[in-house]
Amino acid sequence: MSDLKQLENDLKTGRLSRRDFIKATAMFGLAAAAPGVLTGTAYANTPKPGGHFRLALGHGSTTDTMDPAKYENLYTQMVGKSIHNYLTEVRADGSLGPELAESWEASPDAKTWTFQLRKGVEFHDGKPVTAKDVVASLNYHGGEDSQSAAKVIVDPMAEIKADGDHVVVITLKDGNADLPYQLSDYHLAIMPANGDGKVTKDIAQSGIGCGSYKVKNYDAGVKIELEKFANHWNSEVGHFATAEILSVKDVAARTNSLRTGEVDAIDRLDIKTLHLLERDKNIRIMETSGNAHYSMPMRCDTDPLKNNDVRLALKYSVNREEMLETLLRGHGYVGNDHPIGRANRFLARDLEQRTYDPDKAKYHLKQSGESKLKVQLSAADAAFAGAVDAAVLYKETAAKAGIEVDVVREPDDGYWSNVWMKKPFCMCYWGGRATEDWMFSTAYGSGAEWNDAFWENEAFDKLILEARSELDEAKRAEMYAEAQRLVKDEAGTIIPVFNNYIFASNTKIGQPEQIANDWDMDGQRAVVRWWRES
């Protein structure tokens, strides 16, 4: 039996705790991400229809929009996965499966992709879903004026055309072996086209989709009320009759709401009090480990962060092990200043791990011409639970390198609109992406909409373009290893730790046997995949 299989068996039989499982996988350097782990009262994994589901999330803002192009936090992403469908879906086991596209095939050079659409699918307004809607939905994110975070996925498409009502052909400017994975991106919801064959902003903001639930009422930054879409094509999902997703950013308030029965499930558990919640027999805790990570983007277009020696000094000033233990209490693993995690295929395991080194930080400060450095670091727990504590901890470790960090506590509300990608240095989190190209193209390529460090590197851009169309897996691995090195040593992002997702429900709510780890809350599909037991 392999090391991982043995650990999984010990976990299932109770000989190993959840936390010890995670630490053991980290110790042995196992590639597989920890499976979704559930604790609490046992139940049969057989979905039951009906009932109401109340979910409280530590996200949401008054600046949120229903427009999929603008989804930027877990709240809007959960809404999107509940009311919309996509061409493809990342399954709970990490494999790619069909959703609106029943099947697909590529040309030998991976430049032309043909997608066969599912028949008999309806939008919430009764209109049938056709290839014209898919073409319009994808085109909505492309073009020179697009502000969509999925622009980097759509712009490489030279042509998107319908071949009848149920076939879509996408021709790329360059080959891309990962295109079907990218089409599962939560921004690329399939929406109804208008009479001119376009998706307008009004349509995008209407909330009309073809997903398991339709919108009953929406109050941005407060809550959304959903009801089951009776004509949804897939009877294996969408079990609740009604659901509501609430924005409750205070972790103590969320936890108390779960314990008192005001809500059925919450995200972002407080690790400091996790042991107390584990004692509650009415609570079921879930934990997954994948590519999610905390980051600290530094805007490379602002002084003094333009200087890479300054950025390296800041990177060497992070005590990653201390941050992992203090903030996450072992529920994660240390980062290496690049975003590729253990659930990715081409993680560069031989890349030297960066460690806390005040002397190297001082060296790079001297190389930059700065004997001392003062920076402002913006933080709010809207970025991630404990983000302010992490900023304070960083301030203390950086001081030993002669760096003065002024922690600026920002308001939670509007953090993603007013601080992230606005302030020079801030706290952030990423859920990671299923493929290396997807992650790099979304947040590190020159001009990418979500390039939050505003880093531009011609060699990196060229490398990613070449790796995208390379069909030789060994060569591709070498290319992505070099890309990870470039990001680690030159980009404007500190990635101190990769965090596990830890969330919970009461035992009246049922979950499938396997919990997805590609995103938080069962792949952002808790509303769709879970059900009410009683």
Side-chain angles (χ1 to χ4, degrees):
M1 184 181 290
S2 70
D3 289 336
L4 180 60
K5 289 295 183 185
Q6 182 63 60
L7 288 170
E8 287 177 346
N9 185 62
D10 289 346
L11 180 67
K12 290 177 180 178
T13 58
R15 290 194 293 268
L16 192 68
S17 71
R18 180 182 63 256
R19 185 178 181 186
D20 287 341
F21 172 87
I22 294 162
K23 285 190 171 183
T25 55
M27 184 185 303
F28 292 124
L30 298 174
V37 183
L38 290 74
T39 65
T41 306
Y43 62 96
N45 293 104
T46 305
K48 297 180 181 180
H52 184 62
F53 180 52
R54 301 156 298 175
L55 170 63
L57 299 177
H59 311 254
S61 171
T62 54
T63 59
D64 286 345
T65 172
M66 297 284 282
D67 184 347
K70 298 296 184 180
Y71 291 167
E72 62 184 12
N73 59 60
L74 181 63
Y75 191 97
T76 52
Q77 293 155 11
M78 289 285 293
V79 169
K81 294 287 182 72
S82 301
I83 67 175
H84 289 294
N85 279 163
Y86 301 76
L87 285 179
T88 59
E89 173 191 6
V90 177
R91 293 166 169 159
D93 63 3
S95 65
L96 188 69
E99 193 160 76
L100 293 183
E102 285 189 313
S103 63
W104 50 88
E105 59 182 2
S107 60
D109 59 1
K111 290 180 71 172
T112 302
W113 290 82
T114 302
F115 294 85
Q116 300 286 336
L117 302 185
R118 192 177 302 277
K119 298 177 181 178
V121 180
E122 291 183 16
F123 286 108
H124 297 156
D125 60 1
K127 179 181 176 294
V129 176
T130 68
K132 183 180 75 170
D133 301 302
V134 173
V135 172
S137 295
L138 296 179
N139 280 329
Y140 177 70
H141 300 271
E144 201 171 307
D145 299 328
S146 172
Q147 299 296 310
S148 171
K151 175 180 168 66
V152 293
I153 299 175
V154 175
D155 276 355
M157 300 178 184
E159 184 181 39
I160 312 168
K161 68 178 183 179
D163 183 5
D165 284 344
H166 297 98
V167 176
V168 173
V169 180
I170 299 176
T171 303
L172 304 173
K173 298 172 185 175
D174 299 285
N176 184 355
D178 291 334
L179 180 66
Y181 266 100
Q182 291 181 326
L183 292 175
S184 71
D185 183 87
Y186 53 77
H187 299 97
L188 298 178
I190 304 306
M191 300 173 284
N194 63 16
D196 296 326
K198 295 181 179 180
V199 168
T200 63
K201 288 186 178 180
D202 287 344
I203 292 173
Q205 293 171 348
S206 71
I208 296 175
C210 58
S212 300
Y213 293 90
K214 57 183 181 180
V215 180
K216 185 177 179 181
N217 183 52
Y218 178 54
D219 187 357
V222 181
K223 72 175 181 178
I224 187 168
E225 297 176 32
L226 306 170
E227 59 183 357
K228 182 176 174 62
F229 177 42
N231 291 340
H232 190 252
W233 58 273
N234 190 355
S235 61
E236 296 182 359
V237 295
H239 308 294
F240 300 110
T242 56
E244 57 185 314
I245 308 174
L246 301 95
S247 174
V248 184
K249 289 184 280 291
D250 182 78
V251 63
R254 281 199 311 281
T255 304
N256 187 59
S257 295
L258 178 64
R259 299 192 74 166
T260 59
E262 294 179 54
V263 300
D264 298 303
I266 63 172
D267 73 332
R268 288 185 167 188
L269 300 189
D270 185 351
I271 294 175
K272 296 176 184 176
T273 59
L274 185 61
H275 64 289
L276 299 176
L277 202 59
E278 287 177 325
R279 299 174 188 171
D280 192 329
K281 65 180 182 179
N282 297 314
I283 301 298
R284 180 177 295 117
I285 296 173
M286 290 152 275
E287 181 165 358
T288 59
S289 179
N291 296 330
H293 54 273
Y294 297 164
S295 68
M296 302 162 67
M298 306 172 277
R299 289 193 57 159
C300 298
D301 59 347
T302 62
D303 288 320
L305 302 173
K306 287 180 180 178
N307 189 312
N308 191 41
D309 277 300
V310 169
R311 301 198 296 268
L312 284 169
L314 292 169
K315 290 176 181 180
Y316 278 112
S317 298
V318 180
N319 190 326
R320 299 159 202 275
E321 288 76 12
E322 183 180 22
M323 196 170 287
L324 175 63
E325 187 56 36
T326 302
L327 293 177
L328 297 177
R329 305 203 175 194
H331 293 271
Y333 54 98
V334 295
N336 202 19
D337 296 333
H338 67 76
I340 305 307
R342 291 176 178 171
N344 287 122
R345 281 188 299 159
F346 300 114
L347 171 62
R349 295 182 174 277
D350 296 332
L351 194 63
E352 183 180 357
Q353 175 65 50
R354 178 165 289 135
T355 59
Y356 177 51
D357 194 329
D359 289 335
K360 282 189 177 180
K362 291 176 182 177
Y363 167 79
H364 284 289
L365 276 184
K366 186 176 180 180
Q367 291 296 107
S368 73
E370 302 272 358
S371 58
K372 288 191 175 183
L373 179 67
K374 181 176 181 178
V375 294
Q376 286 190 335
L377 175 58
S378 294
D381 284 350
F384 57 84
V388 176
D389 291 341
V392 172
L393 183 61
Y394 178 66
K395 174 181 180 176
E396 294 171 356
T397 58
K400 296 177 182 178
I403 299 173
E404 182 181 348
V405 178
D406 178 18
V407 176
V408 180
R409 183 156 192 166
E410 306 281 1
D412 284 336
D413 191 49
Y415 183 83
W416 298 108
S417 301
N418 303 323
V419 178
W420 181 61
M421 296 191 70
K422 301 291 192 305
K423 300 296 180 70
F425 192 21
C426 72
M427 306 302 287
C428 178
Y429 86 96
W430 281 87
R433 294 295 188 272
T435 70
E436 288 77 5
D437 179 75
W438 191 355
M439 185 70 236
F440 284 141
S441 299
T442 299
Y444 293 86
S446 298
E449 187 68 23
W450 279 6
N451 182 337
D452 53 9
F454 295 80
W455 178 63
E456 295 188 358
N457 185 292
E458 187 175 341
F460 174 83
D461 292 338
K462 183 173 182 292
L463 187 62
I464 294 305
L465 183 62
E466 292 174 350
R468 184 178 302 148
S469 56
E470 177 57 62
L471 299 179
D472 185 306
E473 292 283 284
K475 290 182 180 179
R476 209 171 183 212
E478 291 177 3
M479 291 177 175
Y480 284 129
E482 174 61 14
Q484 289 165 66
R485 187 199 64 77
L486 281 171
V487 170
K488 174 195 171 191
D489 293 338
E490 299 185 29
T493 303
I494 301 171
I495 300 179
V497 293
F498 281 69
N499 64 290
N500 292 346
Y501 292 126
I502 310 176
F503 44 100
S505 76
N506 60 42
T507 51
K508 295 179 181 179
I509 302 300
Q511 290 87 18
E513 184 175 352
Q514 188 163 27
I515 302 295
N517 69 349
D518 58 323
W519 296 104
D520 205 351
M521 299 300 294
D522 200 2
Q524 302 171 339
R525 293 180 183 268
V527 178
V528 174
R529 291 176 175 165
W530 297 1
W531 60 89
R532 178 164 289 281
E533 281 285 299
S534 60

